[in-house]
Amino acid sequence: MSLVQTIDWIALAPPTVVAITAVAVLLTDLFLPEERKRHLGTIAAAGLALALLTLLPLHRGDRTSFCLADRSEVCSYSADTFAVVIQLIVLGGALIAALLTLPELARQRGDDTTGALPRGEFWFLLLASASGAALLPAARDLATLVLAMEVTTLPAYALVALRRGDRLGPEAALKFFLTSVVATAVTLLGISFVYAGSGSLFLGGIADGLAGADPALDALIRAGVVLTLVGFAFKTAAVPFHFWVPDTYLGAPLPVAAYLSVVSKTAGLAGLILVTSMAFADLGGVWGPVLAVLAGLTMTAGNVAALRTRPDGDRSTVRLLAWSSVAQAGYLLVPLAAAGYASDADGRSTAIGATVAYAVMYAVVNLGTFAVAVHVAERAGRHRLTDHRGLHDRNPLTALALGFFLLCLAGLPPGLAGLFAKIAVIRAAVEAELAVLAVVAAVNVVIALVYYLRWAALLFRPAAPRGAAAAEVGAETGPAAAGAGQAGVAAGTGTAAAPGTAAAGASDATDAPVALAERFPPAADREPRPGAPIAVAIAVTALLALALSVAPQLMLGLTAAGTLF
């Protein structure tokens, strides 16, 4: 009998192509002169696109690799339907994040200036993290699963803190790192308990081993199951492992925040699905109630915090998207909790399918929202929700796309993709007889309507008068600019100002005319069209969201029993 394992390179192609591209980018960066390093982004995007194409031969979901020589059915890597769908989400999300970063890196004069992102290091770290995210859903043993999770997360710490001269980035990355290290340590402790009870690290072997485990180890096994879930709950930003999310999103470059909100979250969700549905399938009574509580707490905490976000506050757009991401994690956990109460494999597969279907909708819509936010930030720079006011007058197509994304997240027509996804989530809870969780989810959907619709309404409100905007800047930059703002308001409204007041305003205005002109150029110049990469990102996500709304079976087909497992 041969002990040499067979390797299916076609099955391994998606993470392998991304990893090879990462190394190629890092080596190329050593030899390219500064003025040509902008091409590194093109190489990175091309590598991610090629990795997406390698998913085509895997659509049947029947390839495996690194199998035991004496038991060919026990493998460490499986490119089944579940793995391919998750790889499609994470690789597509990484490609969109790359497109959102290209314009900023193209405008940079060099890597050493304050506020710059080192090009070679950035693309290498993004691709390295994406390769881990692509490996994780195909892992079928705990060793590979934890390794893939850490490969996904470790480069993300550096991505958050990579911008030169930024004070918020390192602080956010440190909080992200410390929280993640604790979560990983707890998970490894749980895995050691599970291994002691089952005698195997393969997910299928764990299920078999736990079924025949010594009853004296029952408490150890239950503790191991709960502790193992901690690391994956951290990756999905479930309460109480969510504290890193707002600060990390605020400190990271906006495309990196988009990457974390979709790719990192989806990878963590995939790991959670694998360990619960395959390794701990017969212990649903242990992890089902835990996930049900986490789901209710997560969606409630996220929605309440998002509801309290002030639209005019600095970086309020990023803060709202961060808390919205936490709330969406709660919805994603609802069907997964319901899977713990399923009476058979078909019921479990249906519930997990609802989670994956919701993840597909969320990934497309959230990436589109971030794409528009990146475009608006190029003009305003302060990442405020109020910066979107009057966007429809300045750029109708972009405003309509963002409005559609927000309606999908809210679950309102014509955003039918979000509506059907939320119905699938609540239906999974109802079928599992989790009435309380279903009610909590429905109430949270209503709460979320407030802040999503409030943001959408800003898009169609008239833009603030230039004088009023100048007054706002004056209030922030000091008395001199404030005087100019007051004079502008008086002129804009046609109110006759007192001679003394007008003179004072004119005198004060001389102190900051250049700053005001830079912050408030003529309306025709204020809203340039999105650059080509951002326009492509917005168009692709909008078309995908529209397709999922017109043909929801593309998404809901995943909820059919036996589709994923």
Side-chain angles (χ1 to χ4, degrees), residues 139-205:
R140 292 299 179 268
D141 67 74
L142 289 179
T144 306
L145 202 60
V146 172
L147 177 64
M149 184 171 66
E150 292 309 301
V151 171
T152 304
T153 306
L154 287 173
Y157 307 144
L159 285 172
V160 172
L162 201 59
R163 192 182 296 281
R164 297 188 185 277
D166 184 14
R167 179 181 58 84
L168 292 177
E171 182 181 342
L174 182 61
K175 180 176 289 189
F176 186 17
F177 170 75
L178 292 176
T179 311
S180 178
V181 166
V182 173
T184 301
V186 173
T187 298
L188 291 175
L189 178 63
I191 288 175
S192 67
F193 289 174
V194 171
Y195 178 74
S198 65
S200 176
L201 288 177
F202 289 96
L203 300 183

Side-chain angles (χ1 to χ4, degrees), residues 79 132 151 222 234 273 281 295 304 341 344 350 354 364 388 391 406 408 439-440 446 476 503 553:
V151 171
R222 289 175 178 270
F234 164 82
I273 290 173
V304 170
Y341 293 84
D344 54 21
T350 300
V364 170
H388 297 79
L391 182 61
L406 294 174
C408 287
V439 171
V440 170
V446 176
E476 297 164 357
Q553 62 270 22

Side-chain angles (χ1 to χ4, degrees), residues 297-323:
L297 292 176
T298 301
M299 69 178 76
T300 303
N303 280 324
V304 170
L307 193 63
R308 298 177 60 187
T309 301
R310 291 182 54 191
D312 58 346
D314 276 351
R315 306 185 73 83
S316 56
T317 299
V318 185
R319 192 178 300 277
L320 179 64
L321 287 171
W323 286 116

Side-chain angles (χ1 to χ4, degrees), residues 241-258:
F241 312 104
H242 70 293
F243 291 108
W244 61 275
V245 174
D247 289 341
T248 300
Y249 283 27
L250 289 171
L254 201 52
V256 174

